[in-house]
Amino acid sequence: MNAAVNDPVAPSTGAEPASGAVPAVSVEDLAYRYGDVEAVRGITFEILPGEVFGFLGPNGAGKTTTIRMLTGQLKPYAGTARILGRVVGRDDPETQAHIGVCFEEKNLYDSMSAEENLRFFASLFGIRDLDAGELLRRVGLGDRGKDRVSTYSKGMRQRLMVARALVNRPMVLFLDEPTDGLDPVSSKAIRAIIRDEADRGAAVLLTTHDMWEADELSDRVAFINDGRIYATDTPENLKLRYGKRSVKVRLRDGGAIREETVPLDDPAAGERLRSAVQAEGLMTIHTEESTLENIFVEMTGRALEA
Amino acid sequence: MSPGRHLAIIRAIVAKDLREFSRDRVWKILTPIMLIAYVGLFWLLPSTVEETLTVGVYQRGLGTVMEGLGAAERGLQVVEFDSPTSLAEAVASGESTAGETGGDPIAVGIAFPDDLIPAVAEGRATTVTVYVDSAVPSAQRTAMAAFVREIAYQLAGDVLPVSQLDPQVVVLGVDRAGDQVSPQDRMRPLLAILVLLVESIALAGLVAVEIQSRTAKALVATPATIGDLLAAKGLTGTLLAFGQVVIVLLLIGSFAQEPLLLLTGVLLGSVMMAGVGMLAGSAGRDFMTTLFTSVLFIVPLAVPAFAVFFPGAASAWVQVLPTYGIVQTVVGVTAYGLTWSGAAGYLLMSAAWCLALFGAGWLLLKRRVEAL
């Protein structure tokens, strides 16, 4: 493994928020420690309004601690975090009025119906005219709104968690594994909602283990491991910068089938491809790109599920 | 954020808590059953105290000597038996001759010997047997023995060998002779404390669920602050306890005297129990540990009320228990005509305990919520 690759790198300038735009979330040298354990070690990033920011890392990487600092549940040990230009304080209702949080744990009131859960949380934001039915329809629970949450399946609870995070039409949305435990159809619906919220102008911080989901949804992603950010960029740029680009060619060679991989970074790649295409026994040509997960493992030396 | 917004948030959390409480199957069943049982038990208890001691007597040849000695004035009801054996059996069985005594048990029996008068006249030694039930206190046994000696002096025509003594009984405080505190009156503070203690378990359950399901974490990620959450829990516990104890006290007719003083006492008790509920709910890790922690608090807190119901059993240490002042206020107002000035010490002591327990509950719950 290349030691240089494991060092945290500065975000590439091409993927940074456009100059002049006011970030919805601004984090600078943020740090937190539990006793002697440094959970977050001076991370820096920004999220613009309307941007989906994927926060990718294995369990224990510092994702949840970062979210807890950004939502006012933990006081940073060092550094500053700003939400909509305001420094986030511990238990700060002014900031919390503009954020929505979908926790990883399904912390809902089981003895209350879905509508009652949503109306109760809306009342904490001072919202009295919430259209709970409409919100529930968005997450596919329109016909179960009056049922008690205790009768809900894990997936239904997860969808209700997402709906709850949206009751105040937040300007900043924190989603911790929002599609965890959902079937493919429900996951697709939730991803559509996340995209809609970003299109509305909300800044979305998304943590997920699903690299395909992060790739599809995120405008930019940050790789976090061991409390440090290793890379911040668009998924496309990360793949271009750190991924191995190659073409795999399959040829019939007499009675056997031969595979040839042509690295596109090789100066002789053009010539090799041309000769492969002109070869008589050509069967298939596939382009190969690295996945975000491959890049993460290569950069951090640690698998995401770890 | 304005104070009005904080109040609105606290009100919303309290309303949510009360809704959750009303939907809890255990409390939905237990609450009406407890109310009916408490009130029913109260009205089944005697409202007066029988101050007459029923004495069985075998006194052949003595005529109506007992009546002549003024037994009725001494608070004695005399029942005559025709043999020492039947008298001993009546005392031993704890029963009386129905119809003659109206069903009151005979606690003491006095069997005078047939030759009492000649023996006394001749100065000859003779024996009078006093039968007592095993439950009769030694003081009463001694008193009855003294009473028998007095009878002997009367029969002999002598006076007691004391001429310079003129005993006077001075009653300190309200003279309760003929107006003793009834079992109903002694039951009143016990019921009030039981209702308060049970409601502290209800709050502990609500707090524990909020922590264990981590809904508290979701609450404080909204404009609701930890302070709002704690205030709401304290208010919910106080409302639950105060509402139910007032209903019970109304149903058992407790507001005839100094209703405001009584309400102040039980309000302090309700706030105290809210603190206990927050403490127990925060300390519990699951249903069983929450229940266990609640019971740990409840047992000592119930002692002052039991001490009133079973007088004579209390020790001085009972007076330092948090609920002592509440119990004394309730029993004082309803049975002894306690006024504000008389209750001031109890109220101050209760307020101090309120502050300590509510403060401890607040701090512990705050730490638990912050650690979620």
Side-chain angles (χ1 to χ4, degrees), chain A residues 206-219:
Chain A
L206 169 76
T207 73
T208 178
H209 282 124
D210 185 338
M211 289 298 107
W212 181 85
E213 181 174 272
D215 199 348
E216 184 187 86
L217 271 178
S218 307
D219 298 305

Side-chain angles (χ1 to χ4, degrees), chain A:
Chain A
M1 187 188 313
N2 187 341
V5 174
N6 278 346
D7 290 332
V9 295
S12 66
T13 49
E16 283 174 349
S19 105
V22 179
V25 178
S26 176
V27 172
E28 193 175 342
D29 290 328
L30 200 65
Y32 192 82
R33 58 170 57 173
Y34 296 100
D36 293 333
V37 179
E38 284 188 275
V40 177
R41 308 174 189 221
I43 61 172
T44 300
F45 64 90
E46 289 182 344
I47 309 174
L48 290 177
E51 186 180 31
V52 178
F53 188 79
F55 213 43
L56 311 180
N59 294 333
K63 303 188 300 288
T64 302
T65 302
T66 304
I67 288 181
R68 292 189 69 191
M69 285 190 280
L70 292 176
T71 54
Q73 293 172 66
L74 284 180
K75 188 180 177 189
Y77 172 72
T80 51
R82 285 187 171 80
I83 300 284
L84 303 171
R86 182 185 172 91
V87 174
V88 181
R90 180 77 200 269
D91 206 14
D92 177 8
E94 302 298 337
T95 301
Q96 287 162 332
H98 301 288
I99 67 172
V101 188
C102 176
F103 297 92
E104 192 174 5
E105 62 260 71
K106 317 293 180 281
N107 47 5
L108 296 157
Y109 291 105
D110 282 4
S111 65
M112 289 157 59
S113 71
E115 285 187 4
E116 286 171 337
N117 265 278
L118 295 184
R119 290 213 173 90
F120 167 62
F121 275 89
S123 71
L124 301 179
F125 289 95
I127 299 167
R128 291 183 181 173
D129 56 349
L130 177 79
D131 189 348
E134 171 57 26
L135 202 47
L136 289 169
R137 270 190 293 280
R138 282 185 74 189
V139 295
L141 292 173
D143 56 342
R144 297 292 303 271
K146 300 207 183 307
D147 294 347
R148 288 195 185 181
V149 174
S150 56
T151 65
Y152 276 27
S153 67
K154 188 183 172 193
M156 290 165 73
R157 285 166 184 263
Q158 184 59 49
R159 281 183 273 166
L160 183 55
M161 291 284 295
V162 173
R164 189 179 70 183
L166 303 177
V167 291
N168 59 327
R169 288 174 61 83
M171 291 312 297
V172 181
L173 195 50
F174 296 94
L175 302 173
D176 200 352
E177 304 285 349
T179 57
D180 181 41
L182 292 184
D183 58 82
V185 176
S186 300
S187 297
K188 189 177 176 186
I190 296 300
R191 282 196 291 273
I193 290 171
I194 294 170
R195 203 62 257 174
D196 287 348
E197 289 300 305
D199 291 344
R200 176 175 66 78
V204 182
L205 192 153
L206 169 76
T207 73
T208 178
H209 282 124
D210 185 338
M211 289 298 107
W212 181 85
E213 181 174 272
D215 199 348
E216 184 187 86
L217 271 178
S218 307
D219 298 305
R220 286 186 304 137
V221 296
F223 287 161
I224 182 167
N225 185 42
D226 215 12
R228 291 181 293 182
I229 288 182
Y230 280 68
T232 307
D233 212 328
T234 64
E236 196 58 36
N237 280 349
L238 283 172
K239 284 186 277 190
L240 286 172
R241 285 177 67 193
Y242 301 107
K244 288 176 182 170
R245 301 174 304 125
S246 60
V247 173
K248 188 172 276 185
V249 181
R250 295 181 83 195
L251 299 158
R252 193 182 302 279
D253 190 2
I257 294 174
R258 181 165 58 89
E259 274 191 3
E260 188 178 341
T261 301
V262 182
L264 295 179
D265 298 327
D266 183 349
E271 182 59 34
R272 289 180 64 188
L273 271 177
R274 198 174 304 116
S275 61
V277 168
Q278 290 170 350
E280 274 189 16
L282 177 66
M283 292 175 67
T284 58
I285 298 177
H286 296 280
T287 57
E288 287 194 327
E289 280 184 339
S290 281
T291 61
L292 285 180
E293 184 159 10
N294 289 342
I295 299 168
F296 183 90
V297 172
E298 195 170 330
M299 292 182 80
T300 65
R302 191 173 170 191
L304 277 169
E305 290 77 14

Side-chain angles (χ1 to χ4, degrees), chain B residues 132-182:
Chain B
V132 292
D133 182 77
S134 58
V136 171
S138 61
Q140 277 189 27
R141 298 176 195 181
T142 309
M144 289 316 296
F147 183 56
V148 167
R149 269 189 220 102
E150 191 184 341
I151 291 171
Y153 281 121
Q154 291 284 343
L155 291 172
D158 293 335
V159 293
L160 283 169
V162 176
S163 56
Q164 305 292 315
L165 192 66
D166 180 18
Q168 278 191 323
V169 176
V170 177
V171 178
L172 299 173
V174 180
D175 187 354
R176 308 293 300 190
D179 185 25
Q180 294 291 317
V181 176
S182 69

Side-chain angles (χ1 to χ4, degrees), chain B residues 177-221:
Chain B
D179 185 25
Q180 294 291 317
V181 176
S182 69
Q184 275 191 350
D185 289 332
R186 283 188 274 126
M187 189 66 172
R188 220 174 242 119
L190 183 58
L191 290 182
I193 291 296
L194 283 178
V195 171
L196 291 175
L197 291 173
V198 168
E199 292 316 311
S200 78
I201 301 179
L203 178 65
L206 284 172
V207 168
V209 166
E210 196 93 79
I211 289 172
Q212 285 152 27
S213 65
R214 293 177 171 256
T215 44
K217 187 176 169 181
L219 275 180
V220 297

Side-chain angles (χ1 to χ4, degrees), chain B residues 186 300 302-321 324 327-328 331:
Chain B
R186 283 188 274 126
V303 168
F306 279 102
V308 170
F309 194 69
F310 301 107
S315 304
W317 60 266
V318 173
Q319 296 182 19
V320 301
L321 291 173
Y324 179 77
V327 168
Q328 290 304 313
V331 76

Side-chain angles (χ1 to χ4, degrees), chain B residues 3 11 17 24 28 90 94 150 260 266 270 280 343 356 358:
Chain B
R11 196 173 56 212
D17 282 343
D24 188 300
K28 204 155 59 176
E150 191 184 341
L260 276 179
V266 294
S270 304
F358 196 85

